Amino acid sequence: MAFRIKLIKDDTNIDFMSVHKAGLATAGLLIVAAFVLLFTKGLSFGIDFTGGLLIEVKTPAVMQVEDVRGKLANLSAGAPVIQEFGDDTFMIKIPGREADEGLQKKMSAEVQAALGDDVEFRRVEYVGPQVGKELIGTGIKAFVYSMIGIMLYIWVRYEWQFGVAAVASLAHDVIATMLFFIVTGIEFDLSTVAAVLLVAGYSVNDTVIIFDRIREILRKYRKKPLTEIINIAVNETLLRTIITSTTTLAVMVVLAFFGGAVIQGFIYAMIAGVFIGTFSSIFISAPLLLYMGIRREAAAAAGEEAGDAVKA
């Protein structure tokens, strides 16, 4: 006999819609807080965006990251960012320095003097601030194009109201993830941008599952209030949401312990994004349909067409 753990009972009926206004209000507060802090405190941009020097060094085995950070705390350029990059290997990031060969040599000599002669310099690279500006622009374009593509897809598959609700939810996810980075001060770099876009994809997948179930229930119960239909849809997909979120979190937690400092920003963005995306799919995208004026008959008819296509 197979051993199974039942996380959610078949007759689960949590009234999510009774608190949907509180959920929407919370989302609104997070968005306002994100914009206020963005213009007052700002993100801690990594060297990918700010430009600067990258120095990779290999140290003796007895030297730990705390030792390296302590030795380099008084550099003339200010305290650098230190990351472990493998066994006894560290990445030293000195942001905001101009591309001058003499300055690079000076900074390398300063790092060498601080760490000692036993340190092996593996590479010294410069990232210009112009490249950082281009990367910021590219990241914004990638996000905007992704949102447009997602909205068009959901519009074609359902109705335009579903697409608007999904994009509003995704915008919240991205802004709330940025708020997490502003508050924590964790470095925001290219890997983090990739994680934010991945969070958007993760969230829209959960949202589409709930939308599909809403459409199926609309076809089944033509007269049932929309609030009840959304509640049924969220409850029926709750087990899938919990399993998906839990398995994703399990992988991210393992990577957080063993993945190394190079991908820490990516990991933290994913962990925060799982919670944010799950919250938004239940308390933002689905409840917004209550205020979007969806045409029940059209949605139900689309559900019938989809069901016929699957049977065919």
Side-chain angles (χ1 to χ4, degrees):
M1 179 183 294
F3 178 72
R4 298 176 60 191
I5 299 177
K6 206 156 194 176
L7 298 176
I8 301 294
K9 296 181 180 180
D10 293 334
D11 59 348
T12 298
N13 186 25
I14 302 172
D15 190 4
F16 290 103
M17 292 304 104
S18 65
V19 295
H20 79 274
K21 290 183 179 179
L24 291 173
T26 301
L29 289 174
L30 290 176
I31 293 172
V32 171
F35 279 106
V36 170
L37 290 177
L38 182 63
F39 290 106
T40 55
K41 182 179 179 181
L43 286 163
S44 177
F45 285 111
I47 201 169
D48 296 331
F49 297 118
T50 62
L53 288 173
L54 286 175
I55 304 175
E56 182 183 341
V57 298
K58 182 173 177 59
T59 64
V62 295
M63 193 175 291
Q64 303 298 318
V65 63
E66 293 81 8
D67 302 323
V68 177
R69 189 172 287 115
K71 290 176 180 293
L72 299 179
N74 297 317
L75 290 179
S76 60
V81 177
I82 313 296
Q83 291 182 329
E84 292 183 271
F85 204 63
D87 295 335
D88 307 321
T89 304
F90 300 93
M91 182 67 75
I92 303 167
K93 299 181 179 181
I94 306 174
R97 310 307 296 175
E98 294 298 328
D100 178 83
E101 186 175 350
L103 181 58
Q104 292 184 36
K105 290 181 179 179
K106 177 185 175 182
M107 293 307 305
S108 298
E110 199 172 335
V111 171
Q112 180 93 51
L115 296 180
D117 296 331
D118 294 336
V119 173
E120 174 191 347
F121 278 70
R122 294 192 163 181
R123 63 176 168 133
V124 178
E125 296 179 357
Y126 174 78
V127 179
Q130 184 60 38
V131 175
K133 292 179 182 178
E134 292 176 359
L135 291 174
I136 293 174
T138 302
I140 293 174
K141 288 179 181 178
F143 169 70
V144 172
Y145 294 154
S146 298
M147 295 304 101
I148 293 174
I150 289 169
M151 185 171 69
L152 290 176
Y153 166 76
I154 296 179
W155 187 349
V156 171
R157 184 178 174 107
Y158 304 96
E159 285 189 83
W160 68 266
Q161 293 95 332
F162 287 84
V164 172
V167 169
S169 174
L170 292 179
H172 162 271
D173 296 344
V174 173
I175 294 171
T177 304
M178 291 178 64
L179 175 62
F180 168 78
F181 278 87
I182 295 172
V183 171
T184 59
I186 298 172
E187 188 175 281
F188 193 87
D189 54 20
L190 276 181
S191 65
T192 309
V193 173
V196 170
L197 293 177
L198 188 58
V199 166
Y202 171 90
S203 178
V204 77
N205 178 63
D206 203 23
T207 298
V208 167
I209 295 296
I210 295 176
F211 282 177
D212 253 343
R213 193 57 55 91
I214 290 173
R215 189 172 61 176
E216 291 173 5
I217 298 171
L218 279 172
R219 181 179 58 176
K220 186 176 181 180
Y221 301 107
R222 300 293 182 111
K223 303 298 182 181
K224 191 179 287 291
L226 187 56
T227 301
E228 292 184 27
I229 288 175
I230 294 175
N231 256 334
I232 295 171
V234 173
N235 278 281
E236 288 184 354
T237 57
L238 189 59
L239 178 59
R240 176 206 169 277
T241 298
I242 291 175
I243 291 175
T244 303
S245 301
T246 303
T247 51
T248 305
L249 280 175
V251 175
M252 292 300 110
V253 169
V254 172
L255 286 175
F257 282 101
F258 302 104
V262 177
I263 59 172
Q264 288 299 305
F266 177 88
I267 295 168
Y268 293 142
M270 286 299 301
I271 291 175
V274 167
F275 289 103
I276 293 169
T278 302
F279 168 81
S280 68
S281 62
I282 295 175
F283 292 105
I284 299 178
S285 58
L288 278 178
L289 295 177
L290 295 172
Y291 305 97
M292 297 299 297
I294 62 172
R295 296 178 299 165
R296 297 170 61 98
E297 296 77 10
E304 290 177 354
E305 292 176 3
D308 295 339
V310 171
K311 291 178 182 179

